[in-house]
Amino acid sequence: MSLVATAGLLAFVVRHVGLARLGAALRAADPTWLAAALALNLGIHVFVPAEKWRRLLGRLGHSLTFGESARIWLGCQPLRFTLPMKTGELFKVVYLEGVHHVPPAVGTWALVFDKLSNVVALMAFGAAGLLWAPLGSRVSLVIGLLLLPSPLLFANVLPARLREALGALPGRLGRFARELVDAMAALPTAVRLKFFAVSLLQVLAEAMSFGVCLRALGVHAPALDVLFRTPLVILLANLPVTLSGIGTREIGMLWLFSAHGSPEQLAATGLVLSFVGPVLLVLTGLPFVGGFFAGAFGSAAGAARTDGARVEAEAPRE
């Protein structure tokens, strides 16, 4: 369905803009600014998140080198690209357990906290963007409601409350819940706020990336417009509709930046953003996919065989 939605939205954009005009806008792009967008996006989408995730795992008691963190990050990109809402990233948890013996609850919390802090940062800028560029009461209400529970992300009281609520769960589920709560408690509020500050800086860097791509296509939008409208485009692209936001990103550019450029310039900017973002990540990650799959799925299969052999060895003989 995501593939169909992606193709449909891209076809709509091409029909709305015109293929010849879209092609002309892409050919007119400034190569220097395109190169800057390429370099900036590699930093935003590879080096910064890989290092942030590595430090987050280190805070939870599991150290990785930056090289290993980056290899995992890149090797997971095809799954992240194809599965909705970036759920493919959950396979990082499988890899960490199989290769580095990180408990699934710890890997899950590192992943969830990282994503939630990024979403809350986007929502905060998105709320400011709605004030800067009103888009209607319904959109404002949705973002406001999504922001309401965000303080829980930083509350020290939450692990204790969850420990009380989940403490009675039996078996593996209970063990997972207890380990998850312990991992949450291992990140005090001050540490969570530091990682959240990095998420805010990532949003600022994304806005800079949008500004560079707009400039490459000849669009000169005011800096504040770029800063406050970019998170709204990103939030739109994160809806579980298309493959990694391809299609919805282009629609968002046409909608939110219509006052600053022609339709063909804005559609071309969306396509460039889709390339230097998710598409480029998949291409960059291809050399690392084999190692990631072998580590994630091979280690999981090996662990299952080992568990089976252990159970068989411990079984009483007749």
Side-chain angles (χ1 to χ4, degrees), residues 129-168:
L130 290 175
L131 295 174
W132 184 258
L135 299 177
S137 57
R138 291 183 180 179
V139 179
S140 302
L141 178 62
V142 169
I143 288 188
L145 289 174
L146 290 173
L147 271 173
L148 281 178
S150 59
L152 293 176
L153 188 64
F154 310 105
N156 276 335
V157 70
L158 184 60
R161 292 285 182 264
L162 288 175
R163 190 176 284 110
E164 292 176 5
L166 304 175

Side-chain angles (χ1 to χ4, degrees), residues 53 64 69 120 180 184 205 230 242 275-276:
W53 186 59
L64 297 179
S69 176
V120 172
L180 183 63
M184 294 173 67
T230 290
T242 64
F275 176 76
V276 299

Side-chain angles (χ1 to χ4, degrees), residues 27-308:
R27 288 192 297 272
D30 187 310
T32 302
W33 284 103
L34 285 177
L38 193 67
L40 183 57
N41 274 272
L42 281 175
I44 293 170
H45 296 128
V46 179
F47 297 107
V48 173
E51 176 63 11
K52 179 187 174 188
W53 186 59
R54 184 186 76 82
R55 288 176 179 264
L56 187 54
L57 285 169
R59 282 284 187 174
L60 296 171
H62 299 275
S63 297
L64 297 179
T65 64
F66 173 76
E68 172 68 345
S69 176
R71 283 193 295 271
I72 296 170
W73 194 265
L74 287 167
C76 186
Q77 290 308 313
L79 290 167
R80 184 176 185 266
F81 179 81
T82 53
L83 295 178
M85 297 183 72
K86 302 178 183 176
T87 50
E89 293 204 43
L90 289 171
F91 288 99
K92 293 177 186 175
V93 178
V94 179
Y95 183 99
L96 287 174
E97 181 189 15
V99 177
H100 295 284
H101 311 294
V102 178
V106 175
T108 300
W109 172 238
L111 185 64
V112 167
F113 176 78
D114 184 30
K115 297 308 163 192
L116 283 178
S117 62
N118 289 343
V119 169
V120 172
L122 275 172
M123 290 291 178
F125 276 97
L130 290 175
L131 295 174
W132 184 258
L135 299 177
S137 57
R138 291 183 180 179
V139 179
S140 302
L141 178 62
V142 169
I143 288 188
L145 289 174
L146 290 173
L147 271 173
L148 281 178
S150 59
L152 293 176
L153 188 64
F154 310 105
N156 276 335
V157 70
L158 184 60
R161 292 285 182 264
L162 288 175
R163 190 176 284 110
E164 292 176 5
L166 304 175
L169 290 174
R172 291 185 177 181
L173 181 59
R175 185 171 67 250
F176 178 86
R178 288 188 291 274
E179 289 177 351
L180 183 63
V181 171
D182 289 341
M184 294 173 67
L187 291 179
T189 297
V191 173
R192 296 184 205 183
L193 288 172
K194 287 179 181 178
F195 281 106
F196 178 63
V198 176
S199 294
L200 291 172
L201 291 175
Q202 285 179 274
V203 176
L204 288 172
E206 286 273 15
M208 188 184 301
S209 166
F210 271 60
V212 170
C213 286
L214 285 165
R215 186 69 180 269
L217 273 298
V219 180
H220 299 271
L224 286 178
D225 266 12
V226 175
L227 175 62
F228 291 129
R229 292 172 190 257
T230 290
L232 298 173
V233 177
I234 297 172
L235 287 169
L236 186 63
N238 275 300
L239 293 175
V241 176
T242 64
L243 289 173
S244 249
I246 299 173
T248 48
R249 186 178 290 103
E250 289 71 15
I251 295 291
M253 293 302 296
L254 286 168
W255 177 28
L256 289 159
F257 287 89
S258 59
H260 304 299
S262 66
E264 59 269 26
Q265 287 176 312
L266 298 175
T269 302
L271 290 173
V272 169
L273 284 164
S274 290
F275 176 76
V276 299
V279 175
L280 181 63
L281 278 179
V282 171
L283 295 176
T284 308
L286 286 177
F288 305 96
V289 169
F292 178 80
F293 275 48
F297 301 106
S299 297
R305 288 194 296 270
T306 302
D307 288 343

